[in-house]
Coordinates of all heavy atoms in Angstrom, one line a residue:
I4 N 138.6 91.0 -6.9 CA 137.3 90.6 -6.3 C 137.4 90.4 -4.8 O 138.4 89.8 -4.3 CB 136.8 89.4 -6.9 CG1 136.7 89.5 -8.5 CG2 135.4 89.0 -6.5 CD1 136.3 88.2 -9.3
R12 N 123.5 92.1 14.2 CA 122.2 91.9 14.8 C 121.2 91.6 13.7 O 121.1 92.3 12.7 CB 121.8 93.1 15.6 CG 122.7 93.5 16.7 CD 122.2 94.7 17.4 NE 123.2 95.4 18.2 CZ 123.5 94.9 19.4 NH1 123.0 94.0 19.9 NH2 124.6 95.6 20.0
E14 N 118.1 92.1 13.7 CA 117.0 93.2 13.4 C 117.5 94.3 12.5 O 116.7 95.1 12.1 CB 116.5 93.7 14.8 CG 117.7 94.4 15.6 CD 118.2 93.4 16.7 OE1 118.2 92.2 16.5 OE2 118.5 94.0 17.8
G27 N 124.5 100.0 -4.9 CA 124.7 99.3 -6.2 C 125.3 97.8 -6.0 O 125.8 97.2 -6.9
A29 N 125.1 94.1 -6.1 CA 124.3 93.4 -7.0 C 123.8 92.1 -6.3 O 122.7 91.6 -6.7 CB 125.1 93.1 -8.3
E47 N 125.3 89.8 27.0 CA 124.6 90.5 26.0 C 123.2 90.3 26.1 O 122.6 89.2 26.3 CB 125.2 89.9 24.7 CG 124.8 90.7 23.5 CD 125.5 90.3 22.2 OE1 126.6 89.8 22.2 OE2 124.9 90.4 21.0
Q52 N 116.2 89.3 26.6 CA 116.8 88.1 27.5 C 118.3 88.3 27.7 O 118.9 88.7 26.7 CB 116.5 86.9 26.9 CG 116.3 85.7 27.8 CD 116.1 84.4 27.1 OE1 115.6 84.4 26.0 NE2 116.5 83.3 27.8
E53 N 118.7 88.1 28.9 CA 120.3 88.2 29.1 C 120.9 86.8 28.9 O 120.4 85.8 29.4 CB 120.4 88.7 30.5 CG 121.7 89.5 30.7 CD 121.8 90.0 32.1 OE1 122.0 89.1 33.0 OE2 121.9 91.2 32.2
P60 N 122.3 84.4 18.7 CA 121.9 84.5 17.3 C 122.3 85.7 16.6 O 122.1 86.8 17.2 CB 120.4 84.2 17.4 CG 120.1 83.8 18.8 CD 121.2 84.3 19.6
L75 N 133.3 101.6 0.7 CA 132.0 102.1 0.8 C 131.0 101.1 1.3 O 130.1 101.4 2.1 CB 131.5 102.4 -0.7 CG 130.1 102.9 -0.8 CD1 129.9 104.3 0.0 CD2 129.8 103.2 -2.4
K82 N 127.6 102.3 9.3 CA 126.5 103.3 9.5 C 125.2 102.7 10.0 O 124.5 103.1 10.9 CB 126.2 104.0 8.2 CG 125.7 105.4 8.3 CD 125.8 106.2 7.0 CE 124.6 107.0 6.7 NZ 124.6 107.5 5.4
G87 N 126.6 101.2 19.2 CA 127.6 101.5 20.3 C 127.5 100.5 21.4 O 128.3 100.5 22.3
I89 N 127.4 96.6 23.1 CA 128.1 95.3 23.0 C 127.3 94.4 22.0 O 126.1 94.3 22.2 CB 128.2 94.7 24.4 CG1 129.5 95.3 25.0 CG2 128.4 93.1 24.3 CD1 129.7 94.9 26.5
D91 N 127.4 94.6 18.5 CA 127.1 95.2 17.1 C 127.6 94.3 16.0 O 127.0 94.3 15.0 CB 127.7 96.6 17.0 CG 126.9 97.7 17.6 OD1 125.7 97.4 18.0 OD2 127.3 98.8 17.7
G92 N 128.6 93.6 16.3 CA 129.1 92.6 15.2 C 130.4 92.9 14.7 O 131.2 93.7 15.2
E109 N 130.9 82.5 -17.6 CA 131.9 83.6 -17.4 C 132.6 83.6 -16.2 O 132.0 83.1 -15.0 CB 131.0 84.9 -17.4 CG 130.4 85.3 -18.7 CD 129.2 86.3 -18.5 OE1 128.3 86.0 -17.8 OE2 129.4 87.3 -19.2
E110 N 133.9 84.0 -16.2 CA 134.7 83.9 -14.9 C 135.3 85.3 -14.6 O 135.4 86.2 -15.4 CB 135.8 83.0 -15.2 CG 135.4 81.5 -15.2 CD 136.4 80.5 -15.0 OE1 137.5 80.8 -14.3 OE2 136.3 79.4 -15.5
I115 N 130.6 88.8 -11.8 CA 129.8 89.5 -10.8 C 129.4 90.9 -11.1 O 128.9 91.6 -10.3 CB 130.5 89.4 -9.4 CG1 131.9 90.0 -9.4 CG2 130.5 88.0 -8.8 CD1 132.3 90.4 -8.0

Side-chain angles (χ1 to χ4, degrees):
I4 305 174
R12 300 180 197 280
E14 61 263 33
E47 186 170 333
Q52 206 183 336
E53 208 175 63
L75 180 60
K82 200 165 144 196
I89 278 172
D91 277 352
E109 291 162 303
E110 292 198 27
I115 58 162

